Amino acid sequence: RIKVAESLTHFDFRGYARAAHAPILVLAGRADRTVSLKQASEFARELREDGSTVTFVEVPGGHGSALSSDNARHAIAKFVGTH
C-alpha cells in the first residue's frame, strides 16, 4: 500500500479540475500502481458528468513514466492542438 501525505487525503482533485473551466486530458498508464486505470477512468467519467470536456487516453507505462511514451506525446500534442 502506498502512503499518501495527509494533506493529499483531503484534497478535492475533482473540484480543482472542475474549477479550472478548461478542457482536461487524463493520461492513464496501463502499468500505473498509484492510480489504476479504473480510478482514472472513473475520474474522467465524473468530470464529464460535471460538464467538463475530458479526453481520456490509456498509455503504456506506470505513474509518471507513462508521459515518456510515444502514445502519450502524441495524445498531448493532439490535445493541445485541439484545445
Side-chain angles (χ1 to χ4, degrees), residues 3-79:
K3 291 185 179 183
V4 177
E6 180 66 26
S7 60
L8 291 178
T9 63
H10 303 292
F11 187 79
D12 181 11
F13 292 96
R14 185 174 166 190
Y16 184 81
R18 198 175 53 239
H21 300 289
I24 299 166
L25 173 61
V26 177
L27 292 176
R30 291 185 192 106
D32 194 332
R33 292 185 187 193
T34 304
V35 180
S36 70
L37 280 175
K38 181 180 178 183
Q39 290 170 313
S41 177
E42 288 175 3
F43 182 64
R45 180 187 51 76
E46 290 170 353
L47 291 172
R48 283 188 190 108
E49 288 174 357
D50 290 342
S52 295
T53 300
V54 179
T55 301
F56 178 82
V57 180
E58 285 185 34
V59 294
H63 198 78
S65 67
L67 292 173
S68 63
S69 73
D70 288 338
N71 293 15
R73 286 193 296 271
H74 175 73
I76 293 167
K78 183 176 178 182
F79 179 82

